[in-house]
Amino acid sequence: MSSEKVLIGVIGGSGLYHLDNLTFVKHVNPETPWGYPSSPITIASLPSGTLIAFLARHGPGHTITPSNVPARANIAALKSLGVRAILAFSAVGSLREDISPGTFALPTQIIDRTKGVRPASFFDGSIVAHAAFGDPFSLKLVRWLEGPVRRALDAEGRGVQLVTEKTIVCMEGPQFSTRAESLMYRQWGGDLINMSVLPEAKLAREAEISYALIATATDYDSWRPHAEAVTAAEVFKTLKANAETSRHVAATILEELNAAAAQGDILAEETGSMAFSIMPRADTQKQEEREKLRFVLPEYFSD
């Protein structure tokens, strides 16, 4: 475990592999019971000297597919550094006409369309836990972010819009949706679609880390009649501009976010939330499993 206090972790998605306007301090690569994270974690300093941690979800140079992202190692590594809140970024498809490519979104709900090939829990042995996930994002954190993110977008002057209260579909990939699937997701109430928010959000909840996603729309998926279906080439056209705006947003709000996290209120929902989610200790619990879980939840698994 790190002795340095790093309250805020940033996870960068497609196109966002580093942050601007921060002073590099060092790289760390914590080994967790679930392996190493997607990439070495960059510890960087804000102008005030406050430290933040940045992790590239898909690895250096985007070498890891969504299904193979070592999400447990990523979340565990950030928790080992002291991270209490994660601001995640992800490129997404839009399922709504009014969420045009380039729009930023703060979703509050998730529809899970992954296929069970991604380990989705730290509790996968004799120790059982059922984390509450009715509100999959940390609502206090999301609500707090709305103001600072909107102000940062306005200050950039590109006319980028922020939408809130949206539902994101997480599909397996790596292929994009069929037209029939894209239409079905719209009927289900989906507004956005990506391949990465799960199990990331589930694992953050189990680790008692507040988690919010800034989703950046790159395309209209495949639902629009008489329009081309989404392709990687189309996504790349918008990806670069979205990444530049994401770096601007992060550089603008991280100092304020760290201060708010230090006060504690926006972290209150997750703190202690696993206390009654873990099933009572049984004689069949294995010591090696307790040691693994101590890495992310030391308060519940100290001997």
Side-chain angles (χ1 to χ4, degrees), residues 39-301:
S39 67
I41 297 170
T42 299
I43 305 298
S45 174
L46 298 169
S48 67
T50 296
L51 299 178
I52 65 101
F54 177 81
L55 170 65
R57 182 187 291 116
H58 297 286
H62 202 116
T63 56
I64 305 173
T65 67
S67 299
N68 292 326
V69 169
R72 291 190 294 186
N74 289 349
I75 298 300
L78 290 171
K79 181 68 181 283
S80 76
L81 298 174
V83 167
R84 299 280 308 283
I86 290 174
L87 181 61
F89 288 84
S90 178
V92 304
S94 169
L95 298 172
R96 302 293 165 189
E97 190 70 41
D98 59 346
I99 305 176
S100 58
T103 300
F104 276 41
L106 284 168
T108 50
Q109 278 298 322
I110 305 173
I111 295 173
D112 189 354
R113 282 283 291 166
T114 60
K115 298 179 179 178
V117 300
R118 312 176 185 192
S121 176
F122 292 113
F123 296 85
D124 61 351
S126 63
I127 302 174
V128 177
H130 300 285
F133 205 59
D135 293 306
F137 298 100
S138 304
L139 292 182
K140 284 194 173 185
L141 177 58
V142 172
R143 302 285 185 254
W144 182 90
L145 284 167
E146 289 179 12
V149 171
R150 185 168 277 112
R151 289 193 295 273
L153 293 174
D154 289 344
E156 190 187 31
R158 292 189 183 183
V160 175
Q161 300 299 308
L162 176 68
V163 296
T164 59
E165 303 294 334
K166 302 303 179 184
T167 295
I168 186 166
V169 178
C170 187
M171 63 179 290
E172 189 64 52
Q175 300 82 5
F176 293 120
S177 306
T178 67
R179 291 187 185 275
E181 288 169 335
S182 195
L183 289 168
M184 178 180 69
Y185 299 146
R186 280 167 50 83
Q187 293 173 348
W188 285 359
D191 302 300
L192 309 162
I193 184 166
N194 87 336
M195 303 177 189
S196 300
V197 70
L198 295 176
E200 200 169 86
K202 290 182 176 179
L203 295 165
R205 181 61 51 85
E206 287 189 345
E208 295 191 347
I209 298 175
S210 298
Y211 179 93
L213 180 75
I214 295 181
T216 63
T218 58
D219 58 86
Y220 276 117
D221 205 49
S222 300
W223 59 270
R224 296 171 98 199
H226 314 301
E228 293 295 323
V230 59
T231 65
E234 180 187 356
V235 168
F236 290 144
K237 291 178 183 177
T238 312
L239 204 58
K240 184 174 183 293
N242 282 1
E244 290 175 358
T245 299
S246 295
R247 283 191 286 272
H248 167 77
V249 168
T252 302
I253 73 171
L254 283 175
E255 196 81 74
E256 192 177 354
L257 175 57
N258 186 83
Q263 291 177 357
D265 182 61
I266 63 172
L267 309 178
E269 289 172 301
E270 281 64 48
T271 303
S273 63
M274 292 298 292
F276 301 105
S277 297
I278 303 167
M279 296 297 100
R281 181 171 181 176
D283 293 337
T284 55
Q285 286 187 2
K286 299 177 181 178
Q287 185 60 29
E288 58 267 31
E289 291 178 15
R290 290 182 58 82
E291 291 174 2
K292 285 175 66 176
L293 290 167
R294 187 181 304 130
F295 194 89
V296 289
L297 292 170
E299 55 272 44
Y300 303 126
F301 293 98

